Amino acid sequence: MQTPLPHRHGREQHPLLVIDDFWPDPDALREDAAALRMQGIGPHYPGVRAEVPARLAETMRRKVAPLLAEHFGLDPAPRVSEAYYSLVTTDPAQLAPIQRLPHFDGVEARRIALLLFLGHGAQGGTAFYRQRETGFESVDAARLERFKTALADGVAAHGMPEAAYIAGDTPLYERVAVYPGAYNRALVYAGNTLHCADLPAEVMLSSDPLVGRLTLNLFLFDE
């Protein structure tokens, strides 16, 4: 694992870590994913997923725990909430309305996401956004109702975005940062920040983990 590169973005200056050469044997993770049955899980993710083995998820949590204390002020590190191998497979024309907008994983302060890129070729990255009406770049419990109201008002005024993966500014959101993906690169960021995948037009939307845009998504959270 290379030395993490710390970043801060937007007006709210939320921390984000970029860690190259994150896992000692990323090919083994690809093979693990290929051996699992991947399926749709929940309405938000535009593709298929399979659960990461609990022991592997816990090993990754322990690997990043010192970084969470240093850069996010989280000591002890949050527990593993969920962990998935994930493949983007949905054609842009088939995206549900919720999949065309930036999202946040939860409103809690002790919520962290780790995204590990495991695909080869054009992978895109992860982009972060600001809601235009409120200026919010993150959503906590105190902001939630105002965020929802602003979103409803924005959709009423401008309509839902067309069926496409979001790629830059829209009438409802401004893009504040983009972090490109690369093989065996991990991004670590606060789960309550507004974000979404940033996908190039040439990305391979395959259901084969050894061909498509494979990531490992580790979600950490506790009260």
Side-chain angles (χ1 to χ4, degrees):
M1 183 175 80
Q2 293 189 19
T3 300
L5 296 177
H7 297 264
R8 290 184 179 269
H9 54 253
R11 295 171 186 162
E12 297 181 5
Q13 289 289 286
H14 288 284
L16 179 143
L17 301 179
V18 177
I19 312 172
D20 284 330
D21 299 327
F22 176 76
W23 197 249
D25 190 358
D27 284 343
L29 299 180
R30 287 166 54 83
E31 293 168 6
D32 187 31
L36 298 173
R37 180 174 178 269
M38 305 189 82
Q39 58 187 336
I41 297 177
H44 297 93
Y45 188 75
V48 292
R49 286 177 155 170
E51 290 189 8
V52 169
R55 181 176 295 181
L56 172 59
E58 176 60 19
T59 299
M60 288 192 174
R61 186 195 76 88
R62 293 183 182 182
K63 187 180 182 74
V64 299
L67 302 177
L68 300 184
E70 178 181 357
H71 297 280
F72 294 85
L74 298 179
D75 188 11
R79 297 188 299 269
V80 174
S81 172
E82 299 172 282
Y84 300 108
Y85 292 113
S86 304
L87 275 169
V88 177
T89 58
T90 304
D91 184 274
Q94 303 302 316
L95 289 172
I98 194 66
Q99 296 169 340
R100 308 171 199 170
L101 298 166
H103 66 279
F104 54 94
D105 303 328
V107 299
E108 301 85 4
R110 287 181 54 83
R111 185 178 286 274
I112 293 291
L114 183 151
L115 172 64
L116 176 61
F117 294 93
L118 292 172
H120 293 292
Q123 296 295 297
T126 299
F128 292 81
Y129 284 84
R130 175 187 305 124
Q131 189 180 48
R132 288 186 183 274
E133 183 173 332
T134 61
F136 294 164
E137 297 170 0
S138 61
V139 181
D140 60 14
R143 289 179 168 184
L144 182 58
E145 289 307 316
R146 188 178 170 199
F147 170 84
K148 289 180 177 180
T149 299
L151 177 58
D153 291 346
V155 169
H158 301 285
M160 281 298 300
E162 64 181 27
Y165 288 101
I166 184 171
D169 293 350
T170 75
L172 303 183
Y173 294 95
E174 300 173 78
R175 189 168 67 183
V176 299
V178 180
Y179 298 92
Y183 184 58
N184 204 20
R185 171 178 290 170
L187 305 180
V188 183
Y189 52 90
N192 67 351
T193 51
L194 287 164
H195 61 278
C196 69
D198 188 69
L199 300 182
E202 64 271 25
V203 68
M204 180 66 71
L205 300 177
S206 172
S207 59
D208 182 348
L210 300 180
V211 175
R213 187 186 190 267
L214 177 66
T215 60
L216 188 152
N217 302 77
L218 177 67
F219 301 100
L220 307 179
F221 162 67
D222 55 26
E223 297 290 349

